Amino acid sequence: MAQNVRDVSTNEEVTSTRRVIAASSVGTLIEWYDFYIFGTLAKIISEQFFPKDNPTAALLATLATFAAGFVIRPFGALFFGRLGDLIGRKYTFLVTLVIMGGSTFAIGLVPGYKTIGFFAPAIVFILRLLQGLALGGEYGGAATYVAEHSPAGKRGFWTSFIQTTATLGLFLALGVILIVRQTLGVETFSDWGWRIPFILSAFLVAVSIFIRMRMSESPLFVKMKKEGKTSANPLAESFKEKGNLKMVLIALLGATAGQGVVWYTGQFYALSFLQNACNVEFVQSNFIISIALLIGTPFFIVFGSLSDKIGRKYIMMAGMLIAVVAYRPIYTIMYSDANLKNKVEVVEKKVVTVKNAVKGADSLITTITTKAFTDGTTYKETVKAKFPADPALKAALPKDKLKPETKKEVTLPQDLYYKMIGLVLIQVIFVTMVYGPIAAFLVEIFPTRIRYTSMSLPYHIGNGVFGGLVPLISTRLVEATRPGPGLPPADPLAGLWYPILIAGVSFVIGSLYISNKTNNMDVD
Amino acid sequence: MSAIKRIFGLVWALLGVGIVPLVIKQAMKEIAAKPSEENWIFWSIVIVVLMPIIAFSLITFGVFALKGEYDTLEDV
């Protein structure tokens, strides 16, 4: 009888924990979806709201992309973290969800620059900032909420579901965009169809709010509130008290900074490298990343769970160290496998097509060259050259406007395609090693009364600032090795020095100063 | 172990201090060589956002480590 009662009670606990995880994860996933559709549709948004001929609007476009991505997220972490420690986790991450969903929905409704002029980019800019703020508050809330419901010894496992949401959110965004684009056609999609993924967010958020409304507050927070132990000033306690500030610093320098750069390198930099340095064709490169991410995603849970057994530190540090050591060899292979200089051309298969499209008196000459190689690789080069008929216009146009546009596309054969998936997958495994256990690690080093505030800031600085800057700084490092305009960079792998340096420093700090204690969460 | 933590504390603090003039010098050099909008935006982000975070956190962390604040954090 006693055994039966215990079994029922255990079953109820498992069901309840599953509900908590599902409710938290779905909301966080939707927030990532909202955040990513802006980035994925950046080109269309730029055309609709940020016309290039208006310098102020163009500057706002740059700011919108960067500011919301990294500067605003830590502010969101501070604002909502404080709120979460004062009024509770549940209501705070409900608010972040409403703000994120509301601003995403509103972006889908804002009239374009052609209709309301400067107001269009200004409104979109403000809405994007709100998105960044909301994202800054969401993650810490979801991780804290799940961790505070999780049984001791399974915190790494349960919180690792939250860790999968960023990757799954990206999938959802890409999936919705592809389906809408496919259904409406490219032209209609570029005209107004792009608004649908934004508007759809309202529905997704409504569902998530409904689920979250039915959840109860974190038991640890409720207990603490009953006992009157909540913090009166979480910000001051988190960052002014030496005992806690030193843990914030160790979390940032020894864990989240390294984790952030490994996360961005393994997912976004890999895609950018395939497309820009290796010239791998758009669809093929996206498939390489998507398949690697799909195969790799369960490893977030594997490493989260493993961290319950052997400790968070060892897994995270191993992930960083292997990444630091392996990045250059991995990218050298990727670059070499796609490099046409290493391949033998089947000369007789070379085809050159020239088209001359005349618009008025102007002409656009398109030259398409296709080449085949003995290993099965194909190469397509499209060169578009504009020739304005009016000599006065030709003279007035800046030189770069008249420069032919060149697009290079390498399509890899099956074996190299699979090899590339394998090479990206290895990087995704590094991502899962550093990212899988980090939510549990962060919630465990801070006390319940200031947990939301304290863990959110290092997470969003590590991810938003250190990680978010990977594309910008890495591109810059590669450009610095370019001997002259139009010439290829001397070291196309130079961009890796930034993630290698940050992850290397993080590894040293983390290894020296982080404790590998597990389940040391303060529940008082 | 504690001694190593403290010695490295000095390294982090010095790194934090050293990074400021290094970054500013490099920014001035590159902007002077090519004062494009792209250059200005890049260096503004580095100087206003990244550099203060790195410098502040490394210096504070280094000083804490040097004072032995992290000596008691050991693996179990």
Side-chain angles (χ1 to χ4, degrees):
Chain A
M1 181 67 178
Q3 180 63 42
N4 286 345
V5 171
R6 200 160 47 241
D7 285 348
V8 170
S9 160
T10 311
N11 283 341
E12 277 172 5
E13 270 173 32
V14 170
T15 314
S16 157
T17 313
R18 278 183 187 159
R19 238 186 266 147
V20 166
I21 291 168
S24 309
S25 303
V26 168
T28 314
L29 189 149
I30 290 166
E31 290 223 18
W32 282 114
Y33 162 83
D34 288 351
F35 196 70
Y36 283 136
I37 47 174
F38 189 99
T40 315
L41 294 174
K43 203 175 164 223
I44 290 179
I45 288 169
S46 158
E47 285 162 8
Q48 294 281 337
F49 299 109
F50 305 105
K52 276 183 185 169
D53 50 3
N54 182 325
T56 317
L59 183 65
L60 273 176
T62 314
L63 288 175
T65 314
F66 288 118
F70 52 82
V71 179
I72 290 299
R73 274 170 63 178
F75 286 101
L78 289 176
F79 181 79
F80 290 108
R82 176 180 172 274
L83 215 59
D85 284 327
L86 287 174
I87 65 162
R89 286 69 163 111
K90 182 190 156 181
Y91 292 106
T92 305
F93 76 175
L94 260 173
V95 173
T96 64
L97 196 59
V98 171
I99 293 174
M100 179 61 106
S103 41
T104 306
F105 177 70
I107 291 174
L109 299 178
V110 178
Y113 184 83
K114 282 180 192 163
T115 316
I116 57 168
F118 180 75
F119 286 106
I123 294 169
V124 169
F125 176 65
I126 292 166
L127 292 170
R128 181 63 173 163
L129 291 184
L130 284 174
Q131 277 195 323
L133 266 182
L135 190 69
E138 166 66 23
Y139 173 83
T144 303
Y145 186 74
V146 171
E148 289 179 350
H149 276 88
S150 308
K154 286 201 167 176
R155 221 166 273 131
F157 176 58
W158 292 124
T159 53
S160 66
F161 286 89
I162 294 287
Q163 304 304 94
T164 64
T165 56
T167 302
L168 295 175
L170 178 62
F171 272 116
L172 187 63
L174 290 174
V176 169
I177 288 166
L178 279 175
I179 291 168
V180 176
R181 203 165 90 141
Q182 208 68 16
T183 312
L184 297 176
V186 177
E187 214 166 291
T188 315
F189 184 81
S190 303
D191 188 22
W192 59 266
W194 61 270
R195 294 179 184 272
I196 293 175
F198 285 93
I199 293 168
L200 186 69
S201 168
F203 169 73
L204 296 173
V205 168
V207 172
S208 184
I209 288 172
F210 175 73
I211 300 170
R212 280 192 178 178
M213 287 286 274
R214 297 171 66 198
M215 303 307 297
S216 49
E217 180 53 274
S218 146
L220 295 189
F221 185 81
V222 170
K223 181 175 176 272
M224 198 174 62
K225 198 157 193 181
K226 259 187 196 165
E227 293 167 354
K229 288 182 180 171
T230 49
S231 171
N233 191 346
L235 287 178
E237 257 190 71
S238 293
F239 309 115
K240 279 191 177 174
E241 284 184 13
K242 196 165 71 176
N244 203 66
L245 178 61
K246 73 179 189 186
M247 299 314 285
V248 171
L249 290 170
I250 211 172
L252 171 66
L253 296 172
T256 60
Q259 172 259 306
V261 295
V262 172
W263 199 89
Y264 271 83
T265 305
Q267 302 188 59
F268 294 106
Y269 185 73
L271 177 63
S272 153
F273 186 82
L274 279 173
Q275 290 177 344
N276 302 319
C278 302
N279 296 314
V280 175
E281 190 263 331
F282 182 81
V283 176
Q284 194 178 49
S285 56
N286 273 292
F287 265 104
I288 290 170
I289 298 292
S290 303
I291 295 169
L293 286 176
L294 259 187
I295 301 170
T297 297
F299 286 91
F300 284 111
I301 296 159
V302 170
F303 288 114
S305 178
L306 189 64
S307 75
D308 285 327
K309 296 173 180 76
I310 65 168
R312 328 284 180 216
K313 172 183 166 179
Y314 295 148
I315 298 173
M316 293 191 301
M317 293 307 127
M320 278 184 217
L321 179 63
I322 304 170
V324 165
V325 175
Y327 274 153
R328 292 230 14 139
I330 288 174
Y331 279 86
T332 303
I333 299 171
M334 285 168 73
Y335 189 71
S336 157
D337 280 354
N339 193 346
L340 300 179
K341 284 180 186 164
N342 300 334
K343 298 173 191 283
V344 180
E345 187 187 343
V346 184
V347 183
E348 56 271 25
K349 285 193 176 176
K350 182 176 174 179
V351 179
V352 180
T353 321
V354 182
K355 291 177 197 164
N356 188 0
V358 181
K359 194 181 175 186
D362 302 336
S363 59
L364 172 70
I365 296 176
T366 307
T367 310
I368 301 170
T369 309
T370 53
K371 292 179 183 176
F373 295 83
T374 52
D375 68 348
T377 302
T378 56
Y379 174 70
K380 183 180 170 190
E381 188 178 276
T382 309
V383 181
K384 288 182 179 174
K386 289 173 196 164
F387 296 96
D390 181 0
L393 177 68
K394 196 174 174 181
L397 279 173
K399 269 184 184 174
D400 59 326
K401 294 262 180 191
L402 289 173
K403 210 176 137 190
E405 280 175 31
T406 306
K407 188 179 173 190
K408 297 173 178 176
E409 292 167 291
V410 173
T411 305
L412 299 168
Q414 204 78 335
D415 57 335
L416 289 181
Y417 174 60
Y418 291 136
K419 193 175 167 187
M420 285 288 185
I421 292 172
L423 291 168
V424 177
L425 176 62
I426 295 171
Q427 297 177 63
V428 177
I429 300 295
F430 304 156
V431 173
T432 61
M433 288 176 82
V434 295
Y435 199 59
I438 207 153
F441 164 75
L442 290 173
V443 294
E444 284 173 351
I445 60 170
F446 299 111
T448 307
R449 49 194 277 116
I450 50 170
R451 182 169 292 136
Y452 201 152
T453 313
S454 299
M455 73 159 285
S456 294
L457 189 71
Y459 174 80
H460 285 289
I461 292 180
N463 274 266
V465 179
F466 285 95
L469 282 174
V470 167
L472 186 77
I473 295 183
S474 294
T475 308
R476 183 81 185 194
L477 289 172
V478 174
E479 285 304 309
T481 70
R482 206 181 281 278
L487 295 168
D491 182 6
L493 307 184
L496 291 168
W497 289 122
Y498 172 69
I500 287 174
L501 178 74
I502 300 290
V505 171
S506 220
F507 166 75
V508 175
I509 291 181
S511 302
L512 263 177
Y513 299 95
I514 286 178
S515 156
N516 194 45
K517 286 174 189 167
T518 53
N519 304 320
N520 56 348
M521 191 156 137
D522 160 34
V523 290
D524 296 327
Chain B
M1 195 63 178
S2 294
I4 297 173
K5 284 182 181 179
R6 289 180 184 219
I7 293 166
F8 266 95
L10 184 66
V11 175
W12 309 129
L14 290 175
L15 263 178
V17 173
I19 208 159
V20 178
L22 203 76
V23 169
I24 291 174
K25 200 176 151 192
Q26 186 66 19
M28 284 166 67
K29 193 177 135 190
E30 290 202 17
I31 290 172
K34 194 183 168 195
S36 63
E37 189 186 337
E38 200 184 311
N39 253 347
W40 272 104
I41 291 176
F42 176 81
W43 284 108
S44 304
I45 290 168
V46 171
I47 290 174
V48 177
V49 181
L50 190 61
M51 190 190 69
I53 291 174
I54 295 181
F56 170 79
S57 53
L58 277 177
I59 294 168
T60 317
F61 179 77
V63 170
F64 281 165
L66 196 61
K67 285 182 173 174
E69 291 288 338
Y70 296 105
D71 289 0
T72 51
L73 296 177
E74 299 288 348
D75 292 353
V76 288

